[in-house]
Amino acid sequence: GAGVSQSPRYKVAKRGQDVALRCDPISGHVSLFWYQQALGQGPEFLTYFQNEAQLDKSGLPSDRFFAERPEGSVSTLKIQRTQQEDSAVYLCASSSGTAYSNQPQHFGDGTRLSIL
Amino acid sequence: AQTVTQSQPEMSVQEAETVTLSCTYDTSESDYYLFWYKQPPSRQMILVIRQEAYKQQNATENRFSVNFQKAAKSFSLKISDSQLGDAAMYFCAYRSAGTASKLTFGTGTRLQVTL
């Protein structure tokens, strides 16, 4: 596609519900990143995929957060038993390079998640 | 761990004037990349300019240029001939050259452009 596509754009869920956020990267991009951006803050790294392999998940805040990219293209970020502190914008980025490449990351518009 | 600090929560500039946004970072590494991203209300992070730490020459992209001071660990962004479309949040970001390429962002500077 022309750019990184994320859906839904907005998601409202009740505390305790599970949610799934989707990222469709630029076609052919090897690397995919998830970031969490709290209100008034800069994005913070969550996890990184190179093709289908999750090479870094050091930023995931708890075991309620799970990400996958089974076929090396579309990725899903799942949050189980959501809590109010999970409210944030979730940004996805993709890059044509691998982990050590200096290719830039291209970002999607993000999903704004609100937990009531 | 690396940290990125943006000490100016908000800045304002008149159209056609020049403004400088500040960024400092802390790292023990010698090889890394620095970026400035723009985030308009649409939320999409747009790459404005990037600098490789091994390059002494400051990067420029049209009206955007940086002042990279490696010893001082400073990386400021200068926007010349400011336009209304430059109004946005600006984030400074760091990326290590030696590990998986996650970005570490600062807290951002909101730039207002007035007539």
Side-chain angles (χ1 to χ4, degrees):
Chain A
V4 178
S5 178
Q6 291 188 246
S7 61
R9 187 160 171 79
Y10 301 91
K11 176 69 178 177
V12 179
K14 292 182 178 179
R15 185 166 56 92
Q17 288 184 330
D18 298 349
V19 298
L21 312 180
R22 176 188 169 104
C23 173
D24 200 338
I26 294 173
S27 179
H29 275 196
V30 170
S31 294
L32 186 145
F33 303 81
W34 284 99
Y35 293 86
Q36 180 190 57
Q37 186 176 19
L39 187 65
Q41 300 296 314
E44 292 191 354
F45 171 79
L46 292 176
T47 187
Y48 163 67
F49 289 88
Q50 183 173 304
N51 296 309
E52 68 278 5
Q54 190 174 19
L55 299 186
D56 187 350
K57 54 182 181 179
S58 62
L60 295 176
S62 78
D63 59 6
R64 298 185 296 104
F65 286 71
F66 172 77
E68 60 183 5
R69 194 187 185 196
E71 297 179 359
S73 55
V74 172
S75 177
T76 303
L77 176 66
K78 298 179 179 178
I79 309 173
Q80 298 176 325
R81 305 181 303 282
T82 53
Q83 300 178 5
Q84 283 196 322
E85 60 261 32
D86 300 335
S87 296
V89 173
Y90 290 84
L91 294 168
C92 177
S94 71
S95 169
S96 60
T98 58
Y100 297 90
S101 160
N102 69 347
Q103 292 301 310
Q105 295 180 24
H106 301 268
F107 284 80
D109 289 346
T111 294
R112 181 179 296 279
L113 175 64
S114 299
I115 306 300
L116 304 178
Chain B
Q2 293 80 26
T3 59
V4 177
T5 301
Q6 294 180 250
S7 59
Q8 305 157 315
E10 289 191 13
M11 292 284 285
S12 183
V13 63
Q14 284 192 322
E15 199 177 18
E17 296 297 309
T18 296
V19 64
T20 298
L21 308 184
S22 301
C23 172
T24 58
Y25 58 94
D26 188 22
T27 184
S28 58
E29 299 173 333
S30 59
D31 197 12
Y32 49 87
Y33 304 97
L34 296 166
F35 305 84
W36 279 97
Y37 278 89
K38 170 185 177 181
Q39 188 178 43
S42 67
R43 299 200 302 257
Q44 185 181 37
M45 300 286 277
I46 301 165
L47 179 64
V48 174
I49 197 167
R50 67 176 175 180
Q51 174 82 40
E52 289 88 350
Y54 65 84
K55 290 186 177 179
Q56 292 187 337
Q57 187 173 8
N58 289 324
T60 62
E61 287 287 343
N62 301 314
R63 298 182 295 107
F64 299 88
S65 61
V66 299
N67 183 3
F68 173 48
Q69 303 286 333
K70 191 171 184 179
K73 297 180 182 175
S74 171
F75 182 61
S76 61
L77 174 70
K78 186 171 83 170
I79 306 174
S80 304
D81 186 26
S82 297
Q83 300 175 359
L84 293 177
D86 294 334
M89 284 291 290
Y90 285 81
F91 291 94
C92 178
Y94 172 102
R95 208 207 91 193
S96 170
T99 59
S101 49
K102 63 185 178 184
L103 293 166
T104 300
F105 288 88
T107 52
T109 296
R110 181 173 301 280
L111 178 66
Q112 295 183 326
V113 181
T114 59
L115 294 172

